[in-house]
Amino acid sequence: MVIKQQSDNSKFKLNLILKITQAINENLSVDELLLQYKQILFDELKIGKIAVYKFSSRWEKLLVSGISKECIDKIKIEKHLCSISEITYISRDLPEVFWSFDFIIPVFHKNSVLAYILIGDIDEEMEGMSPAIRHLSFIQTISNIIIVAMENKRLYKQLLIQEAFKKEMELASKIQNLLIPNQSSLPQNQYISTCGYYQPHFEIGGDYYDFINFNDQELGFCIGDVSGKGIPAALIMSNFQATLRALFRPETPLDKLMVQLNQKVNDNSSSEKFLTFFIGIYNYTTRKLKYVNASHHPPLLYNFESGEITVLKKGCIGLGMLDEIPAITVGEITIDEHSKLLCYTDGLIELERDDQMEIGAQFLTNMFATQKSISDTFKDLIHHIEIGKKNKAVIDDISLFGIEFKTTQM
């Protein structure tokens, strides 16, 4: 007779486990799984009270039944439960907030407590062994199955979101790379040779350089850096590029252009975002360069004959720093024959080294002030950047734009 009862009991519990696993395989929602779990505990196992707390990014109540809200509100997870690491009988030695229950069952996942199940019998006299005691081991088993299934659903959903985000970022990166000129599209003619390099710190970034061939005699070019990194900076910069392309014309005075750009930046970005920016127009025939430096790291101009370095720093405050730019100075310089110009963003000189050194402004000046062509100079600079990437020393977006002004052939 006892053997038959045990057999029936085992069959009964196996059927319940089968019911749960079928529900999981049918990919029922978390709410539906919880409903089945509650029905099994209350209807099949005759448990009278239950509270389920689960941790994902934070602790939350998943299920409360058979107990007053007043009792539940007194339980503070971190204070009362997080020190419990095994099935615990609730005696009067434990805090009073637990006294309405009989047992605390921790649920583990990968050696960490994922959930706490509090169960209790109905508050009335009963004959024989209480359901909470009789089914304790089984309740632990089905609780583990249900809670781990919920966690796996959460992790799978999180993985899908991450994969979707990754694909979106890859697409955004491809789009942004289309906005940045590649080496094959940069101007190369009898007057100049140019080089460019773009390396965002993340998939996308807030650096930007560009050029516009206005006509056979004039070249417009620029480089900029939005404060911050990642998606917010990239969105501002892509918007800024579109604005610049619409407004940048050789007949528009640079000081007027800067006023227009400052207004657009203020209109399209939050108050804490701003751009440092350098823009110039070079005339091949007159060899004159007009420029404005809006708080950007001053480009370096090196003369091959004299070996002198000139920094281009005339201009104004950064775009978006104030509602109105107080003063704008347009720089103008005649480029000596056979010179080279380097425009760069601050990620280059903030490149940290393993020995705590940085590629600072003086180091960069020494690397640039050589008789090497602009293409060979870029190879040296990119080599140092690649070393920094391998050593995880790159801490910001990096962009470079260089021009070599050729000797006029008579």
Side-chain angles (χ1 to χ4, degrees):
M1 185 69 177
V2 173
I3 295 175
K4 184 178 186 303
Q5 287 178 340
Q6 290 176 341
S7 176
D8 289 344
N9 188 46
S10 298
K11 185 177 180 181
F12 165 71
K13 290 179 178 178
L14 283 173
N15 286 335
L16 290 180
I17 290 176
L18 178 61
K19 182 179 179 181
I20 292 171
T21 54
Q22 285 176 337
I24 293 170
N25 291 335
E26 290 171 4
N27 199 28
L28 296 185
S29 68
V30 169
D31 289 340
E32 289 171 321
L33 287 177
L34 282 173
L35 180 59
Q36 286 217 7
Y37 179 62
K38 179 182 174 182
Q39 287 173 344
I40 289 172
L41 290 175
F42 277 66
D43 299 340
E44 306 290 348
L45 303 181
K46 308 305 180 183
I47 298 299
K49 307 168 190 172
I50 186 169
V52 179
Y53 299 88
K54 182 179 176 298
F55 184 84
S56 49
S57 58
R58 57 184 177 82
W59 285 103
E60 57 183 337
K61 285 182 288 191
L62 284 187
L63 176 64
V64 175
S65 187
I67 193 78
S68 70
K69 184 177 182 300
E70 181 182 2
C71 291
I72 287 297
D73 288 344
K74 291 178 182 179
I75 299 175
K76 308 302 179 186
I77 310 299
E78 288 80 4
K79 179 180 178 181
H80 296 127
L81 285 172
C82 286
S83 61
I84 296 173
S85 58
E86 58 185 20
I87 293 179
T88 301
Y89 171 70
I90 299 174
S91 67
R92 289 302 183 262
D93 294 332
L94 292 181
E96 187 178 352
V97 296
F98 294 137
W99 291 1
S100 297
F101 296 95
D102 296 309
F103 288 96
I104 301 171
I105 304 173
V107 176
F108 286 85
H109 184 58
K110 296 182 179 179
N111 299 320
S112 297
V113 177
L114 180 61
Y116 288 102
I117 315 293
L118 281 67
I119 61 171
D121 292 317
I122 300 171
D123 291 330
E124 59 184 39
E125 295 294 328
M126 62 182 69
E127 296 182 1
M129 186 183 296
S130 76
I133 295 175
R134 186 166 64 251
H135 301 303
L136 183 59
S137 179
F138 182 66
I139 292 171
Q140 181 187 29
T141 299
I142 63 172
S143 297
N144 272 275
I145 293 171
I146 289 286
I147 296 298
V148 171
M150 290 178 187
E151 179 65 5
N152 287 337
K153 287 174 70 71
R154 185 188 72 84
L155 293 175
Y156 179 68
K157 183 178 179 180
Q158 188 178 65
L159 180 62
L160 291 179
I161 293 172
Q162 289 173 346
E163 286 298 317
F165 179 74
K166 181 180 177 181
K167 289 182 179 179
E168 288 175 358
M169 289 297 291
E170 289 173 352
L171 177 60
S173 179
K174 289 178 181 178
I175 292 173
Q176 188 174 56
N177 284 328
L178 292 174
L179 300 178
I180 304 293
N182 57 41
Q183 187 59 44
S184 63
S185 68
L186 292 174
Q188 316 288 341
N189 55 45
Q190 60 182 319
Y191 304 107
I192 61 169
S193 294
T194 56
C195 290
Y197 176 84
Y198 172 69
Q199 176 61 57
H201 181 55
F202 302 118
E203 287 86 351
I204 56 177
D207 278 9
Y208 161 65
Y209 70 85
D210 205 354
F211 75 92
I212 301 176
N213 278 313
F214 290 122
N215 48 56
D216 292 340
Q217 297 299 317
E218 292 172 296
L219 172 73
F221 64 94
C222 66
I223 191 167
D225 183 4
V226 175
S227 59
K229 296 183 282 290
I231 296 174
L235 290 173
I236 293 172
M237 187 53 79
S238 61
N239 184 280
F240 178 78
Q241 187 210 34
T243 300
L244 177 69
R245 285 261 171 172
L247 298 176
F248 194 12
R249 297 289 182 269
E251 64 272 13
T252 303
L254 288 180
D255 52 353
K256 179 180 178 181
L257 175 63
M258 297 303 285
V259 171
Q260 294 173 323
L261 292 174
N262 187 68
Q263 182 61 51
K264 292 295 183 181
V265 172
N266 282 320
D267 290 344
N268 297 324
S269 64
S270 57
S271 57
E272 70 272 12
K273 292 293 182 183
F274 62 89
L275 286 89
T276 64
F277 184 62
F278 180 91
I279 189 167
I281 298 178
Y282 178 65
N283 187 294
Y284 298 140
T285 303
T286 64
R287 302 187 68 90
K288 290 188 180 297
L289 171 65
K290 293 181 180 180
Y291 71 88
V292 173
N293 186 338
S295 294
H296 198 75
H297 283 286
L300 305 176
L301 179 64
Y302 174 74
N303 183 285
F304 282 92
E305 301 300 327
S306 66
E308 293 181 355
I309 284 278
T310 303
V311 294
L312 307 184
K313 54 187 178 181
K314 292 183 179 180
C316 60
I317 64 171
L319 300 176
M321 289 183 175
L322 296 174
D323 291 340
E324 296 183 3
I325 301 176
I328 303 172
T329 301
V330 177
E332 184 171 332
I333 187 172
T334 300
I335 305 295
D336 294 325
E337 291 194 346
H338 205 192
S339 300
K340 59 181 178 179
L341 177 71
L342 176 66
C343 305
Y344 60 94
T345 57
D346 58 7
L348 179 62
I349 61 172
E350 292 174 356
L351 185 62
E352 295 181 353
R353 312 294 283 174
D354 285 343
D355 56 6
Q356 304 304 311
M357 292 175 61
E358 292 184 352
I359 297 186
Q362 187 57 53
F363 182 88
L364 177 61
T365 300
N366 294 339
M367 285 189 67
F368 184 66
T370 69
Q371 294 294 305
K372 292 184 177 181
S373 66
I374 193 67
S375 61
D376 287 340
T377 301
F378 262 56
K379 289 178 183 177
D380 291 342
L381 291 171
I382 293 169
H383 173 71
H384 282 274
I385 293 169
E386 293 299 325
I387 292 173
K389 285 166 61 179
K390 291 176 183 177
N391 294 337
K392 298 182 179 180
V394 175
I395 59 174
D396 199 356
D397 307 325
I398 298 175
S399 290
L400 310 173
F401 181 72
I403 305 175
E404 184 170 336
F405 303 93
K406 298 178 183 179
T407 301
T408 302
Q409 302 295 322
M410 300 301 293

